[in-house]
Amino acid sequence: MAMRFSQQAAQNLAAIREKKPLVHNITNSVVMNFTANAILAMGALPVMADAENEVEEIVAVADALVLNIGTLTEGRIGSMIKAAQKASEQRTPIVFDPVGVGATRFRTETAKNIIDTTPISVIRGNASEILSLRHKASQPKGVASAHTVDEATPTAKIIAKELNTIVAITGHVDMVTDGLREIRISNGHPLMSYLTGTGCASSAAIGAFLAVENDALRATAMALAFFGIAGEAASKNASAPGTFMGCLIDALYAITPEDLRRGCRIDLS
Amino acid sequence: MAMRFSQQAAQNLAAIREKKPLVHNITNSVVMNFTANAILAMGALPVMADAENEVEEIVAVADALVLNIGTLTEGRIGSMIKAAQKASEQRTPIVFDPVGVGATRFRTETAKNIIDTTPISVIRGNASEILSLRHKASQPKGVASAHTVDEATPTAKIIAKELNTIVAITGHVDMVTDGLREIRISNGHPLMSYLTGTGCASSAAIGAFLAVENDALRATAMALAFFGIAGEAASKNASAPGTFMGCLIDALYAITPEDLRRGCRIDLS
Amino acid sequence: MAMRFSQQAAQNLAAIREKKPLVHNITNSVVMNFTANAILAMGALPVMADAENEVEEIVAVADALVLNIGTLTEGRIGSMIKAAQKASEQRTPIVFDPVGVGATRFRTETAKNIIDTTPISVIRGNASEILSLRHKASQPKGVASAHTVDEATPTAKIIAKELNTIVAITGHVDMVTDGLREIRISNGHPLMSYLTGTGCASSAAIGAFLAVENDALRATAMALAFFGIAGEAASKNASAPGTFMGCLIDALYAITPEDLRRGCRIDLS
């Protein structure tokens, strides 16, 4: 099974580079540049349009939509809802990244509203964010997580079942679930937590894999393995977060399907 | 002629570094940081102010204005129109970068409105964008081009003649025209297309050259040669887009007038 | 005294890395990514939320608030005022970075309004910006300074006294004053002026030091010494601004308390 998973991951990476899926991101101002460069490097095409009066036309030609609520504004909420409606009409996969949910009522209400009204394919967040989608008291410190992946796993499974979606919790070891199955991915490097936007960019990578792989559970795990392997490769050329940033983008570009096949450290249970 | 062109390009680069022209950019959120750093590195001064209630005062002291419609908002349109009016009153050169025009009605209408009402010195875009300024069906994939420079050249010449402006199409080989003459620039490197904002930053470089060179056709070609040579130099120190980004900024800083004189690969026809 | 200062600086850097203070930045679109990465690298936690309907909840759990008026909008002004009120209720230190004040009436009025109505702990700007807080005619060229630190020092002292705050002028040699005492910091490197956002990031570093050090005069000087030493360290691995950017972030991460203790070049008068 693990063997088949990694082979399929490799094929999907090759497919991304051949088909160059268009990943539409409505995301926060902090990570726009890094996210666009990460998508380009891995071989897909980014579009970052977020104005309410154009997102429908953009998403109409996109292969995946990624919604991210960092630096949220009323305008961006309207754009997210319009884009999500169009995406769901066209059965375009939607990734939701609830950055900082639980930190403010504004984010919590927006996040809950989005997941209640939109058919999300995948929700990806850190442990505090996933817990905050259901509970009140997780108290994240800004956008950093105050909880472990294991603590949030039962909540992730409940959300996945109720919403008929995939939930991914990223952290030291990532966990992806459809409510029944759990996949754990051990790829990654500690320097990634010293760089803003690695979570957001991994959500965008999920979007690219969803564009070529119908099984959303596996697509998500493959994207996280790929992104984690890129972090491992970057750490061989950089020992601090500033140069690590460039090396991570380099690795997203340079990693071959064969590197991905060999590098996957996953646990399918 | 080619000899004189490259000597003049070298003199203009020296003039930019001596006079440090102020380049006012009203641009998209994705590339603001990269554009400001590119302008600083080449020896000019950037200002990125985009609020409607201050752009007129900013442009009043600027040496060039660069308008870029990526991540367009109603607010930014108002700012662009105000800034452009002030710039044209003061005969400050204006560069227009119609990012993603053709992808949505909002962008297409905004772009057409801007070029119809403002005396633009230079329009720079990829082939799809230039075609979309006149035709309906170019269908860009997000912000990437679906057409070649040669396909868009006749349209570029028509636009240049009608609007009495310079049109530059950037791609594998760049083409700059005033409607009659064509200059082709072969400088550049394929990694530039894996980095978001290289087009936008080359538009800003055009702004800097316009601030020191009255012949807008030649200023544009010089800026694109300079930017392309920087890409070539960067590729000697980086083989993937993440580290290439830093090396490209380094090259904009390090390239001497003499490097520019020697490196120009232009075809004046 | 200089000895005690550098020892205390070293202890404060160690405290930042242990306590990981949350630094809330309401800042401009150009430098958001760089600022967040600088804060993460030095060992603190950034949050960049700037929507009016969530800044109060964010600042309520923050250890410092940094207000920066680059790319100012009406919306951000409202957010800054709400956040500053909450911060002052909770006695959370506030750093104010008046980017480009004097360049437009909008910025000048906003800056004066903020310093008149808010108990600011520290104001940091370049010489032109500090002069523009009191005088009309300093005419900055965009956001670059047209004046020396010495020219602006008397004005800085007056502002510090009148507002009962700390004023820092950064430049070739930085000067920090409480209106009576002056501390001069000679750390830094000329490449820092070729990189957008170094001033903004140094303001964020001041926020982090204020979170662990009650003496705001000394906290400010320590942060500027730390940031300048990072610039010096970066210059050993990079000779141009593009790669310097990554190396500066690396240095903020890699500099030890002992490096800081040894590297401080300060003059306490």
Side-chain angles (χ1 to χ4, degrees), chain B residues 22-26 36 39 45-50 58-59 61-62 64, chain C residues 30 103 107 141-143:
Chain B
L22 185 64
V23 181
H24 181 189
N25 301 272
I26 303 180
I39 293 172
L45 292 175
V47 60
M48 316 305 283
D50 58 4
I58 295 283
V59 84
V61 295
Chain C
V30 185
R107 292 199 194 199
K141 196 169 180 182
V143 292

Side-chain angles (χ1 to χ4, degrees), chain C residues 81-95:
Chain C
I81 287 168
K82 275 198 173 175
Q85 280 171 343
K86 188 75 181 173
S88 64
E89 279 168 37
Q90 304 202 330
R91 300 183 177 276
T92 302
I94 304 173
V95 182

Side-chain angles (χ1 to χ4, degrees), chain A residues 19-20 22 32-33 36-37 40-41 45-51 53-54 57-58 63 246 249-250 253, chain B residues 29-31 71-72 74 103-107 141-143 191 193-196 239-243 245:
Chain A
K19 294 179 189 170
K20 295 196 161 293
L22 185 64
M32 276 186 168
N33 185 269
N37 278 330
L40 278 167
L45 292 174
V47 59
M48 316 304 283
D50 58 3
N53 39 11
E54 68 172 2
E57 284 169 274
I58 295 285
D63 301 297
I249 298 282
D250 279 3
Y253 173 84
Chain B
S29 315
V30 186
V31 304
T71 66
L72 199 58
E74 294 290 352
T104 67
R105 280 186 302 272
F106 183 46
R107 293 200 193 200
K141 194 167 180 183
V143 293
L191 272 177
S193 66
Y194 277 91
L195 192 60
T196 195
S239 56
T243 47
M245 186 176 182

